[in-house]
Amino acid sequence: MLSIAVCDDEVMECCNIAEKVKEIMAQLKISCMIRQYYSGQELIQSPDHFDIIFLDIIMRGMDGMRAAQRIREKAFDKILIFISSSREFALEAYDVEAFWYLLKPIDEKKLKRVLQKAMLKIQPSSQEFMIVSKERQKQKFFLDNICYFEIKGRQIDVHEINGIFTYYEKISILENNLQGKGFFRCHKSYLINLKHVDVYNRQEVTLDNGEKIVIAKRRYDAFCQEILAYMRKNGGLI
């Protein structure tokens, strides 16, 4: 049984959201337990463990962003879904790895889509991978484990969490194979996995392993569009 928390300092709003979540989970035929909290402090002090947490941002006392930071200090595997009447905190939500950002009043169709995506994350059906060839051998890489590709002419270095693998391929073929898979060519020499982006500015991207990758000036605007689109698709802004 899934365990879900809804935290909003407006009691009626909290009850309404919890009821909507309950109805949708019943439609999806997924059993769950839902608990309601009326402050960030009350939520983080709860001894219960949750799979999904719906968290209002603008609250009296400890706000939702601070509560999310405290939750992340204790557990990184929780699905955090922010709910807010304002878009202004969307980028801050990315800093605490929020799964989604829902705007009030919450549309039930959007809420259902978000819950369906959350179920796929909790119970993934499969991991996407790619196969590359080198010296008559085949090598399998899970896409989630690839931080970035470094292009050196016809030579491509796969920077994976376990090391670097070099093979020969046309970059046009690689880009075509990775279309729609969450990768972006931020520079002529680099194709990065948006999943691993931690911090960025106009000059460079810092990945979650600490490596810094340069962003070409002419590709910065496209990068911003891609990272926001990635957030919307995989946990971000609606």
Side-chain angles (χ1 to χ4, degrees):
M1 177 182 289
L2 287 179
S3 183
I4 300 174
V6 178
C7 182
D8 193 312
D9 63 347
E10 297 292 337
V11 176
M12 288 303 299
E13 185 74 13
C14 189
C15 293
N16 289 337
I17 294 170
E19 188 61 30
K20 287 180 180 180
V21 171
K22 181 179 178 181
E23 290 174 0
I24 291 171
M25 295 301 280
Q27 293 171 16
L28 298 175
K29 295 180 170 53
I30 298 173
S31 59
C32 67
M33 175 192 70
I34 302 175
R35 294 194 184 279
Q36 299 176 37
Y37 298 91
Y38 308 120
S39 73
Q41 192 69 38
E42 183 184 5
L43 173 64
I44 65 171
Q45 289 178 344
S46 171
D48 295 317
H49 298 280
F50 299 103
D51 300 297
I52 302 173
I53 299 174
F54 287 86
L55 187 57
D56 188 21
I57 294 180
I58 304 172
M59 294 190 291
R60 294 179 290 274
M62 178 182 289
D63 64 29
M65 200 61 66
R66 179 56 185 153
Q69 291 168 354
R70 294 285 297 277
I71 290 167
R72 282 290 180 245
E73 289 170 4
K74 297 190 294 184
F76 284 92
D77 60 339
K78 308 306 177 190
I79 292 181
L80 294 179
I81 300 173
F82 279 119
I83 45 180
S84 178
S85 56
S86 172
R87 292 178 178 267
E88 66 176 294
F89 304 102
L91 290 180
E92 288 183 59
Y94 185 71
D95 291 337
V96 291
E97 300 182 48
F99 180 74
W100 219 277
Y101 192 105
L102 284 166
L103 290 172
K104 295 180 179 180
I106 297 176
D107 180 273
E108 290 191 29
K109 290 183 179 179
K110 290 181 179 179
L111 178 58
K112 185 175 183 177
R113 289 203 303 270
V114 171
L115 284 169
Q116 288 173 321
K117 288 177 181 289
M119 293 305 100
L120 291 175
K121 184 176 177 65
I122 292 172
Q123 300 174 324
S125 57
S126 65
Q127 270 194 296
E128 291 190 272
F129 61 88
M130 64 182 291
I131 304 275
V132 301
S133 301
K134 181 181 180 182
E135 299 174 355
R136 299 182 181 179
Q137 292 186 339
K138 304 289 187 180
Q139 180 72 38
K140 178 180 178 180
F141 294 103
F142 288 106
L143 297 188
D144 280 355
N145 293 340
I146 298 172
C147 299
Y148 65 97
F149 296 91
E150 186 173 4
I151 300 101
K152 302 173 180 177
R154 282 289 302 273
Q155 177 180 304
I156 295 176
D157 289 345
V158 184
H159 290 256
E160 201 229 13
I161 58 176
N162 295 316
I164 302 173
F165 180 86
T166 301
Y167 73 108
Y168 291 89
E169 182 66 273
K170 289 182 179 179
I171 181 59
S172 58
I173 294 176
L174 176 63
E175 282 191 288
N176 184 62
N177 290 340
L178 293 174
Q179 189 73 31
K181 306 295 185 182
F183 286 80
F184 179 78
R185 195 172 181 186
C186 63
H187 185 274
K188 66 179 181 179
S189 299
Y190 299 103
L191 184 65
I192 61 173
N193 188 343
L194 297 175
K195 171 185 171 65
H196 291 285
V197 172
D198 189 24
V199 179
Y200 66 89
N201 56 41
R202 286 187 171 273
Q203 286 75 44
E204 63 186 14
V205 171
T206 301
L207 303 179
D208 51 17
N209 64 1
E211 290 192 68
K212 297 181 184 297
I213 307 295
V214 66
I215 299 180
K217 183 177 180 181
R218 66 185 180 86
R219 299 186 184 184
Y220 177 73
D221 289 342
F223 168 78
C224 290
Q225 293 176 5
E226 286 291 323
I227 195 72
L228 288 175
Y230 177 84
M231 289 170 62
R232 292 188 184 100
K233 180 180 178 181
N234 297 280
L237 175 68
I238 284 186

